[in-house]
Amino acid sequence: MPLPDAASQMVPPLMRLLHFNRTFVTEQGAHDRIREATLRPAAYGLPRSLRRDVRVDVVHDRGWPVYTLTPTAGPDGFDRLAGGVVYAHGGGWVNEIVRQQWHLAATVAAEAGVVVTVPIYPLIPHGTAGPTRDRVVELVRASTEEHGPTGVMGDSAGGQIVLSAALALRDEGLRLPLTLLVSPALDLTWSNPRIPVVQPTDPWLATPGGRVLAEAWRGDLPLTDPAVSPLFGDLTGLGPLTVFTGTRDVLNPDAHLLVEKARAAGVEAELHEAPGQLHVYPMLPTATGRAAARVLVGRVARALRP
């Protein structure tokens, strides 16, 4: 049940009370989380209830479960599917997709009138940045062939994955109509000097554990490789970019750098910044989160239904 916006002020202290930041606030916390995820992998399947106007299919391809969410009834005023979106979920490259992410994917499918592809990619310690990026590139090409113009969407760690895929596709001659990032991880060196300024306000993410996860996720690539840290990539020729970020998120400073760099490279870039909001706030059960989710869906529809 959505919270009234005033109640959203209680989310940060509740997160601190529940130790939401235990994976990130210390290096040991990250090592412990990797070990937990290895010994007791989380379920990735659909939540018990998902909107009824979306059909869900799944295939298993080379060890990856790949879900497709297809609207069963066209959105108001839409008499055909607009194309596709490949969505990579966040979770610090070590946590599985969760209910809020499934609901966001289903909402985008139903209300923007697109087929949303959701890959369940291998997590740390089994997955790394390069191979994951390459498989997402394949999925975007497949969706383009099957469903028409296809964009990408990712939150947090998923933002890192899909932006690196968008850059690789650009290099192969495919300019995406939409790259939509929610609180994306962009620079896995964690070197932005503004991060320590934001850190005291963020009840969720932190640098010590983030560095451990980055080291594990990079595989045999340097942290500055665009497949790992897409902020280091040349953005010239990238399709339209949309970024959602809250100011109480240590990833917020890099979101600003990305948009500035994109605009300097001639890329159309939108920044949706919510003062006082947290990491992945469009998926939080608050009035601000719901409003941001509506804007997000509208941006998908606008990009794929010009």
Side-chain angles (χ1 to χ4, degrees), residues 33-44 63-65 88-98 101 119-129 131-132 155 157-158 160-161 213 216-219:
R33 181 67 196 112
I34 293 171
R35 183 172 181 275
E36 290 168 6
T38 304
L39 294 175
R40 293 181 293 277
Y44 56 76
W64 284 35
H89 70 85
W93 310 281
V94 73
N95 294 313
E96 264 306 350
I97 188 169
V98 296
Q101 293 161 326
I120 306 300
Y121 57 90
L123 303 172
I124 295 168
H126 307 293
T128 56
T132 301
D155 66 278
Q160 175 267 321
I161 292 169
L213 297 173
W217 182 245
R218 72 180 180 89

Side-chain angles (χ1 to χ4, degrees), residues 86-88 136 152-154 158-167 179-181:
V86 174
Y87 167 54
V136 170
V152 292
M153 180 175 78
Q160 175 267 321
I161 292 169
V162 299
L163 181 54
S164 66
L167 292 173
T179 299
L180 193 153
L181 311 175

Side-chain angles (χ1 to χ4, degrees), residues 32-289:
D32 290 345
R33 181 67 196 112
I34 293 171
R35 183 172 181 275
E36 290 168 6
T38 304
L39 294 175
R40 293 181 293 277
Y44 56 76
L46 298 170
R48 288 186 177 181
S49 63
L50 202 62
R51 36 190 316 156
R52 295 180 179 180
D53 51 359
V54 171
R55 187 187 79 239
V56 180
D57 301 287
V58 61
V59 298
H60 290 261
D61 179 22
R62 289 170 284 170
W64 284 35
V66 179
Y67 289 79
T68 52
L69 282 60
T70 305
T72 55
D76 293 344
F78 297 158
D79 58 1
R80 61 178 177 81
L81 294 177
V85 171
V86 174
Y87 167 54
H89 70 85
W93 310 281
V94 73
N95 294 313
E96 264 306 350
I97 188 169
V98 296
R99 178 176 56 85
Q100 294 87 343
Q101 293 161 326
W102 279 120
H103 282 291
L104 178 64
T107 298
V108 169
E111 297 183 10
V114 299
V115 178
V116 178
T117 301
V118 183
I120 306 300
Y121 57 90
L123 303 172
I124 295 168
H126 307 293
T128 56
T132 301
R133 185 271 314 268
D134 294 345
R135 287 292 305 282
V136 170
V137 164
E138 292 177 11
L139 290 172
V140 174
R141 286 203 171 276
S143 177
T144 301
E145 292 175 6
E146 185 172 356
H147 307 301
T150 293
V152 292
M153 180 175 78
D155 66 278
S156 193
Q160 175 267 321
I161 292 169
V162 299
L163 181 54
S164 66
L167 292 173
L169 286 158
R170 183 274 320 271
D171 292 344
E172 296 177 6
L174 180 58
R175 180 177 180 270
L176 300 186
L178 171 74
T179 299
L180 193 153
L181 311 175
V182 178
S183 305
L186 299 167
D187 176 2
L188 272 63
T189 70
W190 293 81
S191 58
N192 192 310
R194 288 200 61 244
I195 290 176
V197 178
V198 178
Q199 182 67 81
T201 72
D202 189 336
W204 198 338
L205 304 184
T207 302
R211 291 188 188 277
V212 171
L213 297 173
E215 278 294 320
W217 182 245
R218 72 180 180 89
D220 58 2
L221 297 174
L223 286 171
T224 54
D225 189 294
V228 181
S229 297
L231 189 60
F232 287 90
D234 177 6
L235 304 183
T236 304
L238 196 67
L241 178 69
T242 302
V243 182
F244 289 81
T245 181
T247 58
R248 296 185 67 174
D249 180 354
V250 293
L251 302 181
N252 173 269
D254 285 339
H256 279 271
L257 286 182
L258 175 67
V259 170
E260 291 167 9
K261 186 175 179 180
R263 289 172 177 167
V267 175
E268 177 187 338
E270 285 183 18
L271 178 66
H272 297 270
E273 181 176 62
Q277 292 299 309
L278 307 180
H279 188 60
V280 298
Y281 73 94
M283 284 184 281
L284 297 181
T286 63
T288 302

